[in-house]
Amino acid sequence: MRARDLLTPSPTVDLDTPVLDAARLIADRDLPGLVVVDESGAPITILPGPEVLRLAVPPYCQDDPALARVVDEAHADTFLMGVSGRRVRDALPDPPRELPVTDPDATVLELAALMARTRSPLVAVTQDGQLLGAVTLQALLDQVLPA
Amino acid sequence: MRARDLLTPSPTVDLDTPVLDAARLIADRDLPGLVVVDESGAPITILPGPEVLRLAVPPYCQDDPALARVVDEAHADTFLMGVSGRRVRDALPDPPRELPVTDPDATVLELAALMARTRSPLVAVTQDGQLLGAVTLQALLDQVLPA
């Protein structure tokens, strides 16, 4: 079993993709995160799912989430509108997450080592610098768990 | 919109649950992680999905995932058997992840603040110390994204 046998098509975003579009991809495709690519299509980092919220949540609420409750429900329901106009480059964690990336020949042990090391549920698979797709933790576990 | 409106039933594990059982729950239910509860059913921490791999992957492979490729494919395919007999308590990250937990009245902004702060795609919802379920990033985004 190699990475090529476990590939899931992976929608990509670039640094200028609106954060709301990234959030919609994560929600619609039920993904743990997105691969961020540069202008040439080469993956540069991972945007983990929870990061799309960070720009929209006021810092005082992140420091003490209980303070978020003073915001009334109607305004709370629309908090995500706060990221309108913001781009993926603004949402990336600092420092950027180590990019888990490998090639189509990687074994399941190598994929697992990458996920364990980077604590990422998603590994990008590239060939000649171009993204072929991703392997998710779910796909990996489905293969390696005893029947 | 409150946490109670976004609840997903959340399978739980305890510190003595075999890691393989936890891995199977994550794979079968397509979850980003599991809530770990104590003997009384009170949530104590989150077991993030990628952590179930850490025990099974030899440390030298985590330090340098490329080294994993020297293990032949047949042995790589069965690496997860290395956690047979190991328990959730052995798989928890050190230090344990901050437990994102709230009550059923939390607004979506409070849920988002918890996910952003703890970088967890899962928040536990409790009442009187007992787990009612969890809110996932997917469920939250489905509600707060503009139609």
Side-chain angles (χ1 to χ4, degrees), chain A residues 1-2 5 20 23-32 48-54 56-58 60-69 71-73 75-81 93-95 97 102-103 105-121 137-138 140-147, chain B residues 1-2 5 20 23-32 48-54 56-58 60-69 71-73 75-81 93-95 97 102-103 105-121 137-138 140-147:
Chain A
M1 183 67 53
R2 302 279 177 165
D5 307 310
L20 279 179
R24 192 176 299 281
L25 275 172
I26 287 171
D28 289 352
R29 310 284 186 96
D30 201 16
L31 292 168
E51 300 295 330
V52 302
L53 301 173
R54 291 180 73 85
V57 175
Y60 73 90
C61 294
Q62 293 185 48
D63 292 342
D64 183 355
L67 290 179
R69 208 165 301 189
V71 175
D72 67 77
E73 191 171 338
H75 284 93
D77 284 352
T78 58
F79 80 94
L80 200 63
M81 293 306 92
D94 184 30
R97 287 278 291 266
T102 190
D103 62 75
D105 288 329
T107 63
V108 292
L109 179 59
E110 190 172 352
L111 292 163
L114 280 163
M115 290 181 188
R117 174 189 171 85
T118 60
R119 300 186 167 188
S120 167
L137 175 66
Q138 306 296 339
L140 183 71
L141 288 177
D142 284 344
Q143 285 299 325
V144 298
L145 279 165
Chain B
M1 183 66 54
R2 302 277 177 167
D5 308 311
L20 279 179
R24 192 175 299 281
L25 274 172
I26 288 170
D28 289 352
R29 311 284 188 95
D30 203 16
L31 292 167
E51 300 295 330
V52 303
L53 302 174
R54 291 180 73 83
V57 175
Y60 72 90
C61 294
Q62 292 184 48
D63 292 342
D64 183 356
L67 290 180
R69 206 165 299 189
V71 175
D72 68 77
E73 191 171 338
H75 283 93
D77 284 351
T78 58
F79 80 95
L80 201 62
M81 293 307 91
D94 183 31
R97 287 278 290 266
T102 190
D103 62 75
D105 288 330
T107 63
V108 292
L109 180 58
E110 191 173 352
L111 291 163
L114 280 163
M115 289 181 190
R117 175 190 170 84
T118 62
R119 302 187 165 187
S120 167
L137 174 66
Q138 306 296 338
L140 183 72
L141 287 177
D142 283 343
Q143 284 300 325
V144 299
L145 279 165

